[in-house]
Amino acid sequence: MKNLLILFTLFLGLGTVKAQAKKAVAKPAVTKEQPTTYVEEKSSTQIKGPTKLETITYINNIVKNIKYYSEDNAPKINVTSSISRTYGGVILEGCNLVITSLWERKGTTKLGSSQSKGQEIVTIPIDKVERITQGMNFIKFSYYQGEDKIKIRSKVEEENYSKIDTFDEQFESDYTLIGSENQEVFNNLGKAFNHLRKLCGAPEPISFD
């Protein structure tokens, strides 16, 4: 009788151990909805600094105040010419940078004078720009291996004081935003454009250094 009780007790003990083991195996299933390492790593590699909205707002506030004027004179042959440009501003559609401007050309020769006015709309896929260079009074956008990705839409609205509607569209591998402002303005603008370029995931310039 004692032997039967001992065997029965041992049997109950083994059953309890197996049940505890099953519970221990089942516990990890509860943690499946916890964040994975990939999500944590992704958030830690985000570009630091201003957001896209903050950056494009900053850029627009500068660009809409930029003006450009250039004049050429050749007194010996009695020829003068000038061009002026004012920028309407900059918007960001996805990662397409859209720059608008109004321009005016004037010229004088022995035969008389001429004048034309128009507008220009430039669309730059900022996520594909390889390099943005900044000079004393300009910002230049360049594409990898000279690919023509920049769309320039130009419209002549007035010529020799007559209303017309001549529209032209072309694609270029680079575009230069130019103004008459001081170098500090373009230094700040260049930094902002390069930050926006990184926010849009543009490729790094090729270098063998």
Side-chain angles (χ1 to χ4, degrees), residues 116-174:
S116 59
K117 295 180 180 180
Q119 63 172 308
E120 189 176 77
I121 303 172
V122 181
T123 303
I124 305 172
I126 197 73
D127 58 327
K128 294 180 176 63
V129 170
E130 184 197 10
R131 183 177 287 103
I132 298 175
T133 51
Q134 167 260 317
M136 291 281 292
N137 65 337
F138 70 87
I139 300 289
K140 184 177 181 179
F141 302 85
S142 302
Y143 278 82
Y144 176 65
Q145 293 183 349
E147 293 183 18
D148 297 339
K149 294 182 180 295
I150 298 175
K151 183 167 71 173
I152 301 176
R153 301 170 64 198
S154 185
K155 182 179 181 182
V156 180
E157 297 178 330
E158 182 181 309
E159 191 163 12
N160 295 332
Y161 309 98
S162 299
K163 297 290 183 181
I164 58 174
D165 191 10
T166 303
F167 179 79
D168 180 56
E169 182 176 297
Q170 59 189 30
F171 289 84
E172 300 290 346
S173 61
D174 57 64

Side-chain angles (χ1 to χ4, degrees), residues 19-186:
Q20 289 176 346
K22 287 181 180 180
K23 287 181 181 180
V25 171
K27 281 182 180 179
V30 180
T31 64
K32 282 185 178 180
E33 295 184 0
Q34 293 179 355
T36 64
T37 306
Y38 174 72
V39 174
E40 292 173 359
E41 288 179 354
K42 185 177 180 181
S43 62
S44 66
T45 57
Q46 290 178 347
I47 303 297
K48 294 181 180 179
T51 63
K52 278 186 186 180
L53 178 60
E54 291 169 336
T55 304
I56 196 62
T57 301
Y58 175 83
I59 289 172
N60 181 59
N61 288 336
I62 294 178
V63 172
K64 69 183 182 181
N65 292 309
I66 289 179
K67 294 178 174 61
Y68 175 72
Y69 180 80
S70 176
E71 184 176 299
D72 291 320
N73 294 306
K76 290 184 178 181
I77 56 174
N78 194 25
V79 173
T80 62
S81 63
S82 66
I83 181 169
S84 61
R85 185 181 296 272
T86 57
Y87 291 89
V90 180
I91 61 173
L92 190 67
E93 298 176 344
C95 274
N96 284 328
L97 195 67
V98 182
I99 304 173
T100 60
S101 63
L102 299 174
W103 53 265
E104 181 176 4
R105 294 189 183 95
K106 292 181 179 180
T108 303
T109 67
K110 292 180 180 180
L111 300 176
S113 62
S114 62
Q115 180 189 45
S116 59
K117 295 180 180 180
Q119 63 172 308
E120 189 176 77
I121 303 172
V122 181
T123 303
I124 305 172
I126 197 73
D127 58 327
K128 294 180 176 63
V129 170
E130 184 197 10
R131 183 177 287 103
I132 298 175
T133 51
Q134 167 260 317
M136 291 281 292
N137 65 337
F138 70 87
I139 300 289
K140 184 177 181 179
F141 302 85
S142 302
Y143 278 82
Y144 176 65
Q145 293 183 349
E147 293 183 18
D148 297 339
K149 294 182 180 295
I150 298 175
K151 183 167 71 173
I152 301 176
R153 301 170 64 198
S154 185
K155 182 179 181 182
V156 180
E157 297 178 330
E158 182 181 309
E159 191 163 12
N160 295 332
Y161 309 98
S162 299
K163 297 290 183 181
I164 58 174
D165 191 10
T166 303
F167 179 79
D168 180 56
E169 182 176 297
Q170 59 189 30
F171 289 84
E172 300 290 346
S173 61
D174 57 64
Y175 172 76
T176 301
L177 186 156
I178 190 169
S180 302
E181 281 65 26
N182 60 44
Q183 186 173 1
E184 185 180 357
V185 170
F186 283 89

